[in-house]
Amino acid sequence: MFFNYEDINKHLENEPFITISKIADKLNAETYVIGGFVRDIFLHRQSKDIDVVTVGSGIALAEAVAKQFGRKAHLSVFQNFGTAQVKFGEWEIEFVGARRESYTHGSRKPIVEDGTLEDDQNRRDFTINALAVCLNGDKYGKLLDPFGGLEDLENLRIVTPLDPDITFSDDPLRMMRAVRFASQLGFFIDPDTFDAIERNKSRLEIISQERIVDELNKIIMSPKPSIGFDLLDRCGLLELILPELCALKGIETKDGIGHKDNFAHTLMVLDRLSKTSDKLWLRWSAIFHDIGKPASKRFDNRLGWTFHSHNIIGAKMLNGIFRRLKLPMDERLKYVQKMVMLHMRPINLVDEDVTDSAVRRLLFDAGNDIDDLMLLCEADITSKNPEKVRLYLENFRLVREKLVLIEEKDRIRNFQPPVSGEEIMETFSLPPSRPVGAIKEAIKNAILDGVIPNDREAALRFMHETACEMGIF
């Protein structure tokens, strides 16, 4: 990796830095841009998030900078934390005073004192995030790298500035961040740093689920998420966070018949899907699509290993998992449950003699998420046999064609029966009751099964016929 120090000067030509420099010099405040923005300059990654540290009051500097920016800027002050944020155009600038931190064993909330730049760099999580660039006039653009962060960037290495046991024990979330950076950047975790994560993994219990999931989401959204999940597994953190995923590990053999390692398969599906979709909750669906396999695994002397209804079992498990992880118990949960429940259905539509009814029912059940479901199903092909993969993908292409043809003909996706329950009650003078629901369900099934077309007149005729058969009319 080639580092061009001129890149620093090019970035510092941008307006926010020029203004911050002038204000800092006016206030006689030693000021630096630090952390991820500096790191990303050398990695040639675009970033509009700037962390500024000053020896003194970060809030006072932020207020003066925001005043200079005028109406184009928006200032937010967080007095309890001694920090402030200035939004200026597409830039988000965080200001904080240089500080020294110390921790008690039972909490990740530090005791904070004013400190020097050196103190502030000492408290950083990793050497690559401790890089600082001076913004004061006489040293404008000078890089300070006390822990060899540039060398670690060169060697693609994640390593803590100080003793990793202290670093991770003080703030256990840093263990998740180590894995996240390795996954996002394609770096490796220094062996001593990795060993310290293994030793301190139990400290993760003092971290809130929300913060853990925030890091997990960033791992899931990285270019190759399997890197992060493999590291989480090897250091022992995954067992603490998602034991249900760890339960997929291993191959069992009986009578010479084995099954695939469903943990390895799941990570392959996640990686394959990540190449075709950047939807967070679809990627979560890939993680959970086979989660019901351990509970459904059986050995049949005729069929070998079976996992009947693992999709149904997996979908039912998600309520408990989402609640424990404090994932959103809303439409996002329902979406993931739908993906897990339906992921076995499309492959059954391949046969030439498959009925239009089966295609209609999948369209009805998947609704607007049918395209996402197909992406998940295509990612689920992880065979090492290229010919087998080609055949499966060709089969799914045919399924997609069937879905398009039926949708164009019958308009089933997200359809609602043309006759409402209220209309059924009004027509037959019925109160809310079981017969009303039965008539409405019969109309829906008649449309999905192709007995009647998806239009109002046909539905009304069928409604009267059904009511007659039930002795209502």
Side-chain angles (χ1 to χ4, degrees), residues 260 265 268 272 378 380-394:
K260 64 188 173 188
H265 164 74
M268 289 176 68
R272 284 175 57 84
E378 287 161 352
D380 199 15
I381 306 164
T382 60
S383 172
K384 294 180 180 178
N385 183 333
E387 181 59 19
K388 190 174 182 181
V389 171
R390 188 192 67 77
L391 287 173
Y392 266 101
L393 289 176
E394 175 62 19

Side-chain angles (χ1 to χ4, degrees), residues 425-465:
M425 289 189 284
E426 185 178 338
T427 301
F428 302 113
S429 301
L430 292 172
S433 57
R434 219 175 252 180
V436 175
I439 294 172
K440 187 176 178 182
E441 183 71 9
I443 295 170
K444 182 194 82 172
N445 288 331
I447 293 171
L448 292 177
D449 291 337
V451 175
I452 61 173
N454 183 18
D455 65 56
R456 180 170 170 77
E457 287 187 12
L460 285 172
R461 285 195 301 271
F462 189 82
M463 176 187 74
H464 283 88
E465 291 169 5

Side-chain angles (χ1 to χ4, degrees), residues 14-26:
N14 286 301
E15 166 54 33
F17 301 107
I18 296 171
T19 297
I20 295 169
S21 176
K22 289 178 181 177
I23 298 296
D25 285 346
K26 186 177 180 180

Side-chain angles (χ1 to χ4, degrees), residues 59-329:
I59 292 175
L61 178 59
E63 289 173 337
V65 169
K67 184 178 180 181
Q68 181 65 32
F69 284 152
R71 292 183 179 180
K72 295 179 180 179
H74 179 267
L75 172 68
S76 301
V77 174
F78 308 98
Q79 201 73 46
N80 290 343
F81 298 97
T83 65
Q85 181 192 72
V86 175
K87 290 186 178 181
F88 177 69
E90 57 187 344
W91 301 94
E92 288 191 8
I93 314 166
E94 299 282 345
F95 292 83
V96 65
R99 58 194 186 186
R100 177 189 301 118
E101 294 179 347
S102 58
Y103 292 80
T104 57
H105 187 73
S107 173
R108 68 173 295 271
K109 294 181 179 178
I111 299 167
V112 179
E113 303 172 277
D114 292 341
T116 63
L117 174 68
E118 182 181 0
D119 291 326
D120 204 89
Q121 288 177 301
N122 285 342
R123 72 179 183 84
R124 298 283 160 173
D125 50 7
F126 308 111
T127 59
I128 61 174
N129 293 332
L131 297 165
V133 173
C134 187
L135 294 181
N136 296 106
D138 57 340
K139 297 179 181 177
Y140 194 73
K142 180 181 178 182
L143 177 70
L144 287 85
D145 179 18
F147 303 111
L150 276 186
E151 183 179 350
D152 291 328
L153 283 177
E154 180 75 40
N155 293 311
L156 311 180
R157 181 169 57 203
I158 305 292
V159 59
T160 58
L162 305 177
D163 184 332
D165 283 298
I166 296 173
T167 297
F168 295 139
S169 181
D170 282 349
D171 184 354
L173 190 65
R174 290 167 175 164
M175 297 186 289
M176 294 290 297
R177 286 169 59 83
V179 173
R180 188 246 290 183
F181 284 123
S183 191
Q184 283 181 330
L185 303 176
F187 282 27
F188 75 94
I189 300 175
D190 174 79
D192 290 339
T193 301
F194 187 83
D195 290 345
I197 295 176
E198 289 185 283
R199 289 192 295 270
N200 290 277
K201 63 184 179 183
S202 63
R203 292 282 289 155
L204 197 67
E205 66 186 15
I206 71 170
I207 303 297
S208 71
Q209 289 294 336
E210 291 87 350
R211 301 198 65 148
I212 291 172
V213 165
D214 184 54
E215 292 297 326
L216 205 54
N217 283 339
K218 292 172 182 175
I219 292 170
I220 292 170
M221 292 304 294
S222 59
K224 192 176 181 182
S226 65
I227 294 173
F229 277 92
D230 179 62
L231 288 170
L232 288 173
D233 178 48
R234 290 197 288 114
C235 71
L237 289 174
L238 190 61
E239 181 67 40
L240 301 176
I241 302 167
L242 266 176
E244 297 88 351
L245 191 57
C246 291
L248 293 171
K249 289 192 295 183
I251 298 171
E252 189 173 352
T253 302
K254 189 171 182 178
D255 296 343
I257 302 172
H259 62 75
K260 64 188 173 188
D261 185 314
N262 287 303
F263 178 74
H265 164 74
T266 295
L267 296 191
M268 289 176 68
V269 173
L270 179 58
D271 281 349
R272 284 175 57 84
L273 183 65
S274 298
K275 294 177 181 178
T276 59
S277 175
D278 60 0
K279 292 184 177 180
L280 173 63
W281 297 103
L282 183 55
R283 293 190 185 192
W284 269 110
S285 301
I287 292 168
F288 290 135
H289 80 285
D290 278 347
I291 206 78
K293 279 192 170 180
S296 63
K297 184 169 76 169
R298 301 288 186 274
F299 185 81
D300 183 284
N301 288 326
R302 184 171 56 88
L303 301 174
W305 292 104
T306 66
F307 302 91
H308 294 312
S309 300
H310 74 272
N311 55 322
I312 299 171
I313 294 170
K316 289 180 178 178
M317 290 170 64
L318 292 178
N319 269 307
I321 295 173
F322 269 56
R323 189 172 290 110
R324 187 186 74 237
L325 293 179
K326 291 188 167 55
L327 288 166
M329 306 291 291

